[in-house]
Amino acid sequence: MFKELDPILHSQLRLAVMSLLISVKEADFTFIKEKTNATAGNLSVQVQKLKEAGYIEVIKEFKDNYPKTTCKITPQGITAFEEYVKALQQYLQLGQKK
């Protein structure tokens, strides 16, 4: 009856990161950190989990001798996010059919 929610996306911070990336396609680490109010350490761990799941691509480079990390949503990440949203909508619809 209820579709299982993706445990990778069911974390508040990972869901926030994916929500940002779904709208902007890619963003640098500092932008994501500011928008989510996350600490650098926590965000780094959650970004790594999204990367391991194949939901985002992480590009590390240097710009003007400073490290720059960019996160980019993958096609697999877009699909996972859309399925997660559909599953949540199902939960809401089933909850209203009382």
Side-chain angles (χ1 to χ4, degrees), residues 9 13 19 44 88 90:
L9 295 179
L13 183 51
S19 296
S44 185
L88 282 179
Q90 254 185 343

Side-chain angles (χ1 to χ4, degrees), residues 13-14 17 29-48:
L13 183 51
R14 290 192 295 262
V17 170
F29 187 86
T30 306
F31 174 81
I32 296 170
K33 184 174 158 285
E34 289 170 359
K35 291 293 183 186
T36 60
N37 289 322
T39 63
N42 190 15
L43 181 57
S44 185
V45 168
Q46 302 312 320
V47 161
Q48 184 62 31

Side-chain angles (χ1 to χ4, degrees), residues 13-31:
L13 183 51
R14 290 192 295 262
L15 184 59
V17 170
M18 291 295 287
S19 296
L20 276 172
L21 292 177
I22 204 87
S23 62
V24 298
K25 303 299 180 224
E26 70 176 56
D28 71 20
F29 187 86
T30 306
F31 174 81

